[in-house]
Amino acid sequence: MCLGSNRWGLRVALSPIRGPAGAPLATAIAGAIRSPANEIARIQEIERAGPIYGPRRAPDADKPPTPATPASATQLAAQDAAARQDGLGPLIADLRQALGGKPLPPAARAAAAQVMMQLAPMGPEVEARDVMKALSNSGLLLEAKIAAEPQASPIGVDLKAALLVLRQALTQGLPRDSVRTPGKPTAQRPPPPYRGGPTTPQRPAASSLSHDAEIPAVLRQLADETDAAIARTELLQIASLPSPHDLSESGEVTRWVFEAPVATQQGAAMVQFEIRREGRGTGRDREEGAIWRTRFALDIPPVGPVEAHLTLAQGHLGVALWAQSAEGAERLRAKAESLNASLAAASLPADVAVYHGTPAAPSPTAGKLVDQVL
């Protein structure tokens, strides 16, 4: 299963099924990530293995060992990941506290440092190459990068690879019968992403690690949070898969849904993006008829939750910004003229509009994720 080709010529494979098999060591993950493209199944086996520190749901005896179709495999993967997913912010907050507190095992400390390196600083100037780097490093394209460059290791430059290594490093010292830590209530987690769904920002999180917790308890909590972050990355990959509705009269729709951690003074905030390319254009310039749509959402004090919708068509850019707080809306309006001038200087005529509130939510459709917890 793959996400299809994009403008950089990458194809994204998705390993949707997890099982209760024992997980290999972190060194095995590193070796598999460096494996040739025809051995990508080894990466899928690592992802299927899951954490070794607690029992997972046993497969039903009357259920076939593998889904009958790619669509059913995707549905099962989404159901499993949605039950475990959580944002990356709590994990980063706890990693920061753990790295500054009691000594972690060397392998876990090194793997945690690799995850922390994925944070991008929140500076005043964000360029297109920064967004492209965030997309490339988000974990969305991990399997594509392995297929395209089988000899190059994505460890250190890909968030999903870093999380996979971290999960295995954390679980090495835990007994097999170790019990999972209780997950947060669904209402306290960011809603799971899905194709065509709203973009949801995640504000900086505070650490929940107890200062007097022993090392096994710290490793267990970090391992659970890492598994939840990997599950959310899988949901973002599934949300980026094409659907039959993505074929329209204007041509094929390609979309990328991903999240990027940014470092702020209050901690790590998560920015969620959706980038869509509609149509392929005609004639010599295949981009001429294409329409690019970008949505992103972030929540950083003191501005608060902000969502942006950008549409680029026929060389003209439309920008709509929504701020939930009145103060945030006033701050954005004060910068709107400067933004217009900067876009004009880049030979990109634009219309910038700022609103107080939230954009209209997409119309719900059947087949989305449903919270079945009572």
Side-chain angles (χ1 to χ4, degrees):
M1 190 183 308
C2 64
L3 299 185
S5 301
N6 56 36
R7 70 180 302 186
W8 297 292
L10 298 177
R11 296 180 67 83
V12 180
L14 178 64
S15 52
I17 304 305
R18 290 177 170 271
L25 301 177
T27 53
I29 293 180
I33 287 179
R34 296 184 177 91
S35 64
N38 60 1
E39 292 185 294
I40 290 182
R42 295 176 62 192
I43 292 291
Q44 297 176 333
E45 186 65 28
I46 289 168
E47 292 190 76
R48 285 195 294 269
I52 64 175
Y53 52 92
R56 302 183 69 83
R57 294 193 303 269
D60 296 335
D62 57 347
K63 183 177 292 186
T66 56
T69 65
S72 61
T74 302
Q75 183 179 13
L76 289 175
Q79 291 174 353
D80 179 58
R84 297 181 291 111
Q85 68 89 31
D86 197 0
L88 183 63
L91 170 63
I92 292 178
D94 287 342
L95 286 178
R96 179 177 285 112
Q97 178 167 320
L99 289 171
K102 296 181 179 180
L104 296 175
R109 176 172 289 274
Q114 291 286 353
V115 172
M116 299 298 290
M117 288 174 58
Q118 302 301 314
L119 270 73
M122 175 57 74
E125 301 292 338
V126 178
E127 300 180 354
R129 61 184 178 183
D130 299 318
V131 178
M132 183 180 296
K133 181 179 179 181
L135 167 60
S136 177
N137 295 355
S138 66
L140 182 65
L141 307 177
L142 172 60
E143 292 82 357
K145 288 186 285 189
I146 296 171
E149 300 181 75
Q151 302 305 320
S153 171
I155 297 177
V157 295
D158 186 275
L159 180 57
K160 185 179 180 183
L163 290 171
L164 287 169
V165 173
L166 175 62
R167 181 174 64 183
Q168 301 308 316
L170 291 168
T171 57
Q172 284 181 21
L174 294 177
R176 289 181 176 271
D177 59 352
S178 180
V179 180
R180 284 178 173 271
T181 55
K184 292 188 300 185
T186 303
Q188 297 180 15
R189 304 181 188 185
Y194 58 89
R195 183 191 303 116
T199 50
T200 305
Q202 300 168 47
R203 67 183 310 144
S207 175
S208 61
L209 277 180
S210 174
H211 292 281
D212 57 354
E214 298 297 329
I215 290 298
V218 171
L219 295 178
R220 183 178 297 113
Q221 179 170 334
L222 292 176
D224 284 331
E225 292 174 342
T226 304
D227 188 61
I230 294 172
R232 186 169 181 86
T233 302
E234 293 172 350
L235 287 176
L236 291 166
Q237 290 182 297
I238 294 172
S240 300
L241 288 168
S243 74
H245 303 291
D246 285 340
L247 294 175
S248 60
E249 294 181 358
S250 60
E252 182 181 354
V253 174
T254 303
R255 80 178 76 226
W256 299 272
V257 185
F258 63 99
E259 293 179 341
V262 295
T264 72
Q265 293 181 350
Q266 295 79 21
M270 298 299 297
V271 184
Q272 186 174 343
F273 290 85
E274 183 194 69
I275 301 176
R276 290 165 49 98
R277 181 185 186 276
E278 301 176 3
R280 292 183 174 272
T282 58
R284 295 181 179 178
D285 187 358
R286 295 178 64 83
E287 293 295 331
E288 183 178 354
I291 300 175
W292 289 89
R293 303 184 192 275
T294 300
R295 295 186 294 153
F296 66 88
L298 69 162
D299 185 353
I300 299 176
V303 179
V306 173
E307 186 165 345
H309 291 193
L310 293 79
T311 303
L312 177 63
Q314 303 293 329
H316 186 275
L317 179 65
V319 180
L321 304 173
W322 283 268
Q324 290 189 20
S325 70
E327 179 185 358
E330 288 303 316
R331 286 174 176 266
L332 293 178
R333 290 191 182 101
K335 297 292 184 179
E337 185 174 347
S338 174
L339 176 59
N340 253 326
S342 298
L343 292 171
S347 300
L348 188 60
D351 294 321
V352 179
V354 177
Y355 305 98
H356 175 209
T358 58
S363 300
T365 57
K368 303 305 180 187
L369 300 172
V370 177
D371 183 5
Q372 298 179 349
V373 178
L374 298 179

